[in-house]
């Protein structure tokens, strides 16, 4: 692929007329139901969605399921659910429908059959009768000679009579498109003017397979035309195919949409994202307890499209994402993911959501589910602290300590919900008498004094008064309260647990 700075005057004028004329923006996200939605797909969907909303346009979800052998049952529903979770809501889709449906390519086969006849009739396409064995031999020979494997266009040169005879014999065939020997430069609204001679790397491509289904290249051009797509925003990996798609438009006599390609998203180490990575699936982030807005703010850092500096810690709302999106700001270079940013954004989103009491019901239900799933197999499950006030109070206390809601049920914070199953041997620590005395004194203290600042002074004074090393007392109390060696300060534990729960745990030890 190379950029060209030369365009003929007429091409420039045509481009300017098309780019600046008044049109209704219509963009689409067109995934295949062959697996889970991942970060790359989410970023593509997001940028199309933001571009549509920023221009008062229409965002379409189209499912490209023509490769039936790779379609996974339930993938379409899961994909739509992930997009809905992320707040990326389509105006037209397979469920909602719309004026240009159906939005499943497998339901548009008659349209493809009709349109391919136009290309056959104007001799832009032809029947190919080559067998798999012949194609395999071509590939093998090319590899042997150190060449790029590609079809030799043999069937392009059959006469009409030869084609009729082979069709009469019911020979298996596919349909191929004739690539132009004079590819043209096209304008990419992200990368500028681009020239790619596809004929140097491949022969005439298949547009209708032997099973009657269209290939991606043919179906997406036909659908984009009939769905009146104005702009195609997709990953940079499709840029090399754009010349081929424009040739198809020209063969049909249609105007192509405006194209823009998005840079690659890279892992922290600079490697490409792979669908095999379990940690880039949207489902994986959902299970971790990542909030949608945090994830969207995270992925825009690996693609640009905004005036923000990446050091800026502001969390854009959905309204701000739409308003601030600027396609001219999309990066040309690949961008690395920065996981630390994701957790910072998630922490901010938890704090933002917690400020609004309308969200408290969501938090309560979500945390109850997390706690029950985490501790359902333990002995003291019947004593779980899951009253609404405790959950919200606990979450407000913990919001600066956690990065995701899942952190609330990790070992160091398990004491928030369940009485520790283990009990320290206070006689061995030399604190047996001190714990009994402490329990007796705490019973008399008003619940309003169970605050961190007051309690830490009280515990220091108690240790000094009773001749107990303060560090030993804290270590013992930590074990009594939480059953773990590492965690929040003891005084904070006593505040968040409150008077009744603190005494309950001390009395277990005393008795």
């Amino acid at each position: 692929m190379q950029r060209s700075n030369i365009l003929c005057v007429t091409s420039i004028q045509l481009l300017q007329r098309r780019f600046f004329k008044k049109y209704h923006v219509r963009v689409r996200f067109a995934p295949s139901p062959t697996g889970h939605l991942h970060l790359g797909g989410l970023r593509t969907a997001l940028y199309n969605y933001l571009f549509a909303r920023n221009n008062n346009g229409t965002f379409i979800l189209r499912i490209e399921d023509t490769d039936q052998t790779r379609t996974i049952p339930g993938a379409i529903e899961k994909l739509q659910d992930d997009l809905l979770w992320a707040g990326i809501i389509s105006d037209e889709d397979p469920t909602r429908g719309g004026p240009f449906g159906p939005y499943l390519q497998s339901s548009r086969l008659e349209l493809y059959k009709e349109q391919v006849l136009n290309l056959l009739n104007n001799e832009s396409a032809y029947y190919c009768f080559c067998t798999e064995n012949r194609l395999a031999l071509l590939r093998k020979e090319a590899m042997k000679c150190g060449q790029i494997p590609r079809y030799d266009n043999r069937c392009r040169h059959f006469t009409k009579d030869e084609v009729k005879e082979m069709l009469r014999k019911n020979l298996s065939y596919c349909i191929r498109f004739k690539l132009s020997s004079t590819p043209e430069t096209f304008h990419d609204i992200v990368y500028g003017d681009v020239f790619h001679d596809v004929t140097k790397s491949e022969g005439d491509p298949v547009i209708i397979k032997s099973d009657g289904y269209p290939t991606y290249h043919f179906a997406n051009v036909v659908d984009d035309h009939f769905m009146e797509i104005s702009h195609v925003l997709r990953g940079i990996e499709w840029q090399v195919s754009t010349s081929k798609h424009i040739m198809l438009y020209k063969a049909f006599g249609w105007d192509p949409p405006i194209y823009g390609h998005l840079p690659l998203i890279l892992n922290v180490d600079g490697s490409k994202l792979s669908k095999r990575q379990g940690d880039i699936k949207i489902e994986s982030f959902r299970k971790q307890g990542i909030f949608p807005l945090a994830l969207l703010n995270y992925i825009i850092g690996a693609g640009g499209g905004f005036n923000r500096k990446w050091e800026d810690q502001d969390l854009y709302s959905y309204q701000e994402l739409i308003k601030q999106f600027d396609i001219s700001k999309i990066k040309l270079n690949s961008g690395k993911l920065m996981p630390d940013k994701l957790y910072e954004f998630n922490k901010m989103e938890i704090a933002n959501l917690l400020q609004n009491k309308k969200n408290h019901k969501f938090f309560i239900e979500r945390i109850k589910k997390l706690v029950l799933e985490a501790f359902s197999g333990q002995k003291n499950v019947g004593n779980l602290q899951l009253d609404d006030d405790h959950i919200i109070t606990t979450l407000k206390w913990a919001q600066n300590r956690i990065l995701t809601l899942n952190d609330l049920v990790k070992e160091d914070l398990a004491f928030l919900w369940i009485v520790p199953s283990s009990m320290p041997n206070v006689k061995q620590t030399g604190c047996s008498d001190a714990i009994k005395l402490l329990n007796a004194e705490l019973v008399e203290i008003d619940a309003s004094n169970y605050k961190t600042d007051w309690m830490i002074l009280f515990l220091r004074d108690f240790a000094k008064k009773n001749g107990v090393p303060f560090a030993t007392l804290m270590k013992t109390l930590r074990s009594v309260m939480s059953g773990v060696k590492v965690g929040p300060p003891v005084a904070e534990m006593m505040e968040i647990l409150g008077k009744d729960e603190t005494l309950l745990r001390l009395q277990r030890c005393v008795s």
Side-chain angles (χ1 to χ4, degrees):
M1 181 186 73
Q2 65 184 56
R3 293 196 184 191
S4 171
N5 295 320
I6 302 175
L7 270 177
C8 65
V9 174
T10 54
S11 294
I12 293 175
Q13 291 173 339
L14 178 62
L15 175 65
Q16 289 174 336
R17 283 200 300 272
R18 289 192 59 245
F19 190 80
F20 293 109
K21 74 179 181 179
K22 291 183 178 180
Y23 49 74
H24 177 69
V25 168
R26 287 178 59 83
V27 294
R28 48 73 168 178
F29 175 53
S32 299
T34 55
H36 293 84
L37 181 65
H38 54 84
L39 284 182
L42 182 67
R43 199 271 304 269
T44 299
L46 174 65
Y47 280 24
N48 276 278
Y49 172 79
L50 296 178
F51 186 70
R53 295 290 177 265
N54 187 269
N55 290 280
N56 296 314
T58 302
F59 172 65
I60 298 161
L61 173 64
R62 184 176 74 220
I63 303 298
E64 301 196 338
D65 62 340
T66 56
D67 191 345
Q68 293 289 292
T69 60
R70 297 177 60 226
T71 297
I72 297 175
I76 296 175
E77 293 76 13
K78 185 66 178 71
L79 189 147
Q80 289 182 289
D81 182 55
D82 281 341
L83 289 176
L84 184 62
W85 170 83
I88 300 174
I89 302 170
S90 49
D91 301 296
E92 302 169 24
D93 58 44
T95 302
R96 188 175 283 102
F100 298 91
Y103 296 88
L104 286 174
Q105 285 190 335
S106 58
S107 300
R108 299 170 66 86
L109 298 182
E110 288 304 315
L111 175 64
Y112 307 136
K113 289 177 181 177
E114 291 172 8
Q115 295 307 313
V116 79
L117 288 177
N118 292 333
L119 296 185
L120 288 169
N121 291 335
N122 69 20
E123 299 185 351
S124 296
Y126 60 91
Y127 294 98
C128 174
F129 301 93
C130 292
T131 63
E132 280 299 321
N133 285 339
R134 181 177 188 274
L135 296 176
L137 287 172
L138 283 177
R139 287 192 292 269
K140 186 176 180 180
E141 189 62 27
M143 297 291 284
K144 186 177 179 181
C145 299
Q147 299 173 345
I148 299 174
R150 57 182 173 178
Y151 180 57
D152 61 359
N153 300 346
R154 174 197 177 201
C155 294
R156 180 198 273 221
H157 308 293
F158 286 151
T159 64
K160 290 183 180 179
D161 288 338
E162 288 174 319
V163 171
K164 285 181 181 178
E165 179 61 20
M166 284 184 272
L167 289 174
R168 189 186 66 79
K169 292 180 179 179
N170 288 323
L171 295 179
S172 178
Y173 65 84
C174 64
I175 298 176
R176 292 181 182 268
F177 174 68
K178 293 180 181 178
L179 291 178
S180 170
S181 58
T182 55
E184 299 178 1
T185 298
F186 70 90
H187 185 77
D188 186 311
I189 56 174
V190 175
Y191 285 85
D193 297 331
V194 178
F195 177 83
H196 180 75
D197 188 353
V198 69
T199 61
K200 290 184 178 180
S201 58
E202 62 180 282
D204 292 339
V206 175
I207 54 175
I208 299 291
K209 295 174 285 187
S210 58
D211 62 3
Y213 278 80
T215 59
Y216 163 80
H217 302 290
F218 182 72
N220 104 71
V221 164
V222 171
D223 287 341
D224 284 350
H225 172 73
F226 282 96
M227 290 183 177
E228 299 185 5
I229 300 302
S230 64
H231 296 73
V232 172
L233 304 179
R234 58 189 179 187
I236 187 65
E237 65 271 18
W238 293 110
Q239 194 181 65
V240 296
S241 298
T242 304
S243 296
K244 181 164 38 182
H245 298 163
I246 291 175
M247 288 180 197
L248 276 163
Y249 276 101
K250 190 174 181 180
F252 276 117
W254 301 336
D255 287 333
I258 296 168
Y259 287 95
H261 292 87
L262 309 175
L264 287 176
I265 299 178
L266 303 177
N267 290 304
V268 178
D269 61 2
S271 61
K272 292 182 181 180
L273 297 188
S274 169
K275 290 183 179 180
R276 296 186 184 89
Q277 288 178 237
D279 61 349
I280 66 166
K281 296 174 183 175
I282 305 310
E283 182 181 40
S284 172
F285 293 101
R286 293 178 67 171
K287 287 181 178 178
Q288 286 180 53
I290 299 297
F291 281 88
L293 201 56
L295 189 60
L296 298 187
N297 275 266
Y298 173 54
I299 60 174
I300 66 174
F306 299 84
N307 287 312
R308 77 188 297 174
K309 294 180 180 178
W310 194 222
E311 303 80 46
D312 183 5
Q313 288 293 333
D314 286 344
L315 183 75
Y316 281 0
S317 66
Y318 284 98
Q319 293 78 10
E320 289 168 329
L321 285 169
I322 292 168
K323 183 179 179 181
Q324 299 294 336
F325 181 69
D326 183 348
I327 202 164
S328 69
K329 301 294 183 183
I330 291 177
K331 299 175 184 177
L332 300 188
N333 298 322
S334 302
K336 292 182 181 180
L337 292 171
M338 301 177 70
D340 289 346
K341 292 284 186 181
L342 172 62
Y343 294 111
E344 284 300 316
F345 286 139
N346 204 61
K347 188 176 179 180
M348 292 168 66
E349 179 65 347
I350 291 173
N352 290 343
L353 292 172
L354 198 54
Q355 289 177 7
N356 189 338
K357 288 186 178 180
K358 292 180 180 180
N359 297 320
H360 287 187
K361 184 178 179 182
F362 159 80
F363 279 119
I364 289 167
E365 291 176 355
R366 180 72 176 274
I367 292 170
K368 280 183 179 178
K369 184 180 178 182
L370 277 173
V371 173
L372 287 169
E373 288 176 352
F375 304 113
S376 60
Q378 297 199 18
K379 294 179 181 179
N380 297 325
V381 69
N383 297 322
L384 289 176
Q385 286 189 275
L386 289 177
D387 61 277
D388 293 358
D389 289 340
H390 175 69
I391 288 175
I392 295 302
T393 302
T394 297
L395 184 54
K396 287 180 178 178
W397 168 81
Q399 63 179 309
N400 293 322
R401 290 180 166 79
I402 60 172
L403 299 177
T404 74
L405 294 184
N406 291 16
D407 292 344
L408 287 170
V409 294
K410 289 184 176 179
E411 185 182 17
D412 61 329
L413 294 181
F415 76 92
L416 294 167
W417 318 108
I418 193 166
V419 175
S421 56
S422 61
M423 180 64 62
N425 189 329
V426 291
K427 289 184 178 180
Q428 287 185 354
T429 64
C431 291
S432 178
D433 293 337
I435 294 296
K436 290 179 181 179
L437 288 170
L438 179 63
N439 179 66
E441 291 193 25
L442 287 174
V443 168
E444 302 300 323
I445 293 173
D446 191 86
S448 62
N449 283 332
Y450 277 70
K451 303 295 182 185
T452 300
D453 292 342
W454 189 92
M455 192 60 70
I456 189 65
L457 294 175
F458 169 80
L459 291 173
R460 285 187 183 278
D461 183 61
F462 175 86
K464 184 178 180 180
K465 181 174 63 177
N466 290 280
V468 181
F470 182 69
T472 302
L473 179 64
M474 291 300 99
K475 184 178 179 181
T476 304
L477 286 175
R478 177 183 298 283
S479 186
V480 170
M481 295 293 151
S482 67
V484 295
K485 296 180 179 179
V486 179
V490 171
E492 284 193 37
M493 288 187 185
M494 295 171 79
E495 177 180 350
I496 196 62
L497 288 173
K499 179 176 180 177
D500 291 344
E501 187 64 26
T502 296
L503 292 175
L504 174 67
R505 299 188 185 196
L506 280 173
Q507 286 162 6
R508 284 175 69 236
C509 184
V510 170
S511 61

